[in-house]
Amino acid sequence: MANGWAPDGAVQDQIDDTVKDEVMRARARMPTGAGQTHCVECGEPIPQARRNAMPGVRTCIACQSAADQRPATIGFNRRGSKDSQLK
């Protein structure tokens, strides 16, 4: 495939880097250390089964579900279209 000045495989390298960045970002957001017995958001007790399944947990299932619904911020766009590069 003709990519101009880009070397062969450059598109796949960008995809791989983007996936790697997102995995690292997700791992950085995972809780670590001692978990909480009560939710830091609403104060409800966190069931022992959840604390066993997710070490370092800080929120109950309801509050975590609400947090997961919020839009995530994304760093930068590596895909940059030609139009955006011309502006």
Side-chain angles (χ1 to χ4, degrees), residues 41-86:
E41 298 289 325
C42 68
E44 290 293 316
I46 299 173
Q48 184 64 41
R50 177 165 169 75
R51 289 186 282 145
N52 291 342
M54 186 90 173
V57 70
R58 295 182 205 116
T59 57
C60 65
I61 293 173
C63 291
Q64 186 61 53
S65 294
D68 291 344
Q69 296 300 316
R70 291 183 220 133
T73 57
I74 298 176
F76 56 89
N77 180 4
R78 289 192 173 150
R79 295 177 289 170
S81 68
K82 291 180 183 177
D83 292 337
S84 68
Q85 293 172 4
L86 296 174

